[in-house]
Amino acid sequence: MFGIAGIIPDETLPLVYGVPVLNDNRLIIDRWQIPIERGTAALIASAIKTLEVFEKSNPIVFLVGDIGKGKGSKILYQFLAEKISQTSFQVFTFHYILPEVDGCLKVIFSIEKLSKKPFLIADAGFMYAVKMAGYANFFDLFTPDLGELAFLADEKAPHPFYTRGFLLSNEKDIESLIKRAYQHQNAPNYLLVKGEKDWVVCNQEILATVDEPLLPELEAIGGTGDTLTGMVSALIYAGYPPEKACILAAKANRLAGALASPTPATQISTIIDFIPKALKKLTG
């Protein structure tokens, strides 16, 4: 099985879990319809579109509403801590959940009870929590952008707000930040660093970079980093080795953007619709 957990910026959404259906740019789970805008919803939608190509079943998702106040995140942490050890996942991806060390550790301790650890992927807020908890090595893949990589590289920062001058880093600093993150054991085996150029890293070694096609128009479209994480998660679940999944996801994410002929007004859901075509062009 393949699992995804994260929050949705909607305070009215209670804890919901199950297998979603993607219909008319909305995720449908139970009686709830969640628009595909960005964040966890975009990640899930991109994973579904990727799995469609490989005729794999949709992931099981665990969602709750939270607009940054933390109440929903606490509920989700507690639920995952209680339930995740009762399941058997091959891949599990954690997206944004308000960073909380105690909640994160409870989830990790629950995963440790499994007879076989899933391939663990973290992005956004949960990646912060994992680093803050000192368990980066327990995970298998992080998918940071440049700012998030700067936090991983700062061994003294207890929270992203307190990252030292690294937040002023730019693309030319990525190699030094990658090295620093590994030196201080704040990175898992694999990193997929998202940016103007995407970097695929294994144990500090840069395996590949992907920078084409380069479309400046995509910079104005929120959610392209989320789609990349969703795609690589689904490709690993579909059987691709992590390094090949990272490279293919980076290429397909960019190609899907190009196929959408984007403008600054293009919605992420439009790009997600082109994921199957992009993957087929690259794997066919």
Side-chain angles (χ1 to χ4, degrees):
M1 292 191 297
F2 171 25
I4 299 173
I7 63 172
I8 301 295
D10 179 354
E11 280 190 301
T12 67
L13 181 71
L15 176 70
V16 295
Y17 62 97
V19 179
V21 174
L22 183 59
N23 183 29
D24 193 25
N25 298 325
R26 292 178 178 270
L27 290 175
I28 301 174
I29 179 169
D30 292 336
R31 63 184 180 86
W32 297 92
Q33 296 190 27
I34 301 169
I36 307 302
E37 294 172 344
R38 59 185 306 171
T40 305
L43 185 155
I44 294 168
S46 62
I48 289 173
K49 282 294 187 180
T50 301
L51 294 170
E52 177 185 304
V53 175
F54 300 96
E55 299 181 346
K56 290 277 191 177
S57 58
N58 289 354
I60 298 173
V61 304
F62 303 83
L63 303 172
V64 72
D66 194 328
I67 59 171
K69 296 180 180 179
K71 181 179 178 180
S73 293
K74 286 182 181 294
I75 292 170
L76 184 55
Y77 276 122
Q78 186 63 37
F79 184 83
L80 292 171
E82 292 173 356
K83 300 295 184 182
I84 204 166
S85 63
Q86 302 173 18
T87 55
S88 179
F89 289 100
Q90 293 168 257
V91 177
F92 204 106
T93 298
F94 297 88
H95 194 242
Y96 197 88
I97 308 175
L98 204 69
E100 180 190 291
V101 172
D102 184 57
C104 177
L105 285 173
K106 287 178 180 177
V107 173
I108 288 172
F109 295 158
S110 183
I111 294 171
E112 288 182 322
K113 296 176 183 177
L114 293 168
S115 57
K116 184 177 181 181
K117 183 175 78 72
F119 190 96
L120 296 175
I121 302 168
D123 190 11
F126 200 84
M127 181 173 58
Y128 296 159
V130 170
K131 185 258 190 180
M132 291 156 60
Y135 268 79
N137 290 340
F138 186 70
F139 274 64
D140 299 287
L141 171 65
F142 284 172
T143 55
D145 60 22
L146 178 58
E148 291 163 341
L149 178 62
F151 173 57
L152 298 178
D154 190 342
E155 76 283 3
K156 294 185 178 180
H159 188 280
F161 287 158
Y162 303 108
T163 300
R164 290 174 287 168
F166 300 120
L167 279 181
L168 300 176
S169 300
N170 55 47
E171 294 277 341
K172 67 181 177 63
D173 299 315
I174 283 183
E175 291 189 55
S176 63
L177 292 176
I178 289 169
K179 182 178 180 181
R180 190 182 184 99
Y182 279 102
Q183 282 179 336
H184 296 286
Q185 300 184 344
N186 287 326
N189 284 343
Y190 292 95
L191 288 176
L192 175 53
V193 184
K194 303 174 287 193
E196 185 174 327
K197 178 188 293 184
D198 300 317
W199 300 69
V200 179
V201 184
C202 179
N203 291 321
Q204 198 172 311
E205 179 186 356
I206 296 168
L207 303 179
T209 58
V210 178
D211 58 6
E212 293 182 350
L214 179 61
L215 284 84
E217 295 87 349
L218 293 177
E219 293 298 316
I221 301 172
T224 53
D226 304 315
T227 57
L228 180 52
T229 302
M231 291 174 67
V232 71
S233 301
L235 288 170
I236 291 171
Y237 176 62
Y240 277 79
E243 60 273 17
K244 291 185 178 180
C246 288
I247 294 169
L248 178 56
K251 290 180 177 179
N253 197 47
R254 290 169 178 270
L255 181 56
L259 291 170
S261 301
T263 71
T266 300
Q267 299 298 306
I268 193 63
S269 57
T270 300
I271 294 173
I272 290 171
D273 286 339
F274 282 95
I275 286 176
K277 185 174 181 180
L279 285 168
K280 289 173 183 177
K281 285 177 71 72
L282 290 168
T283 61

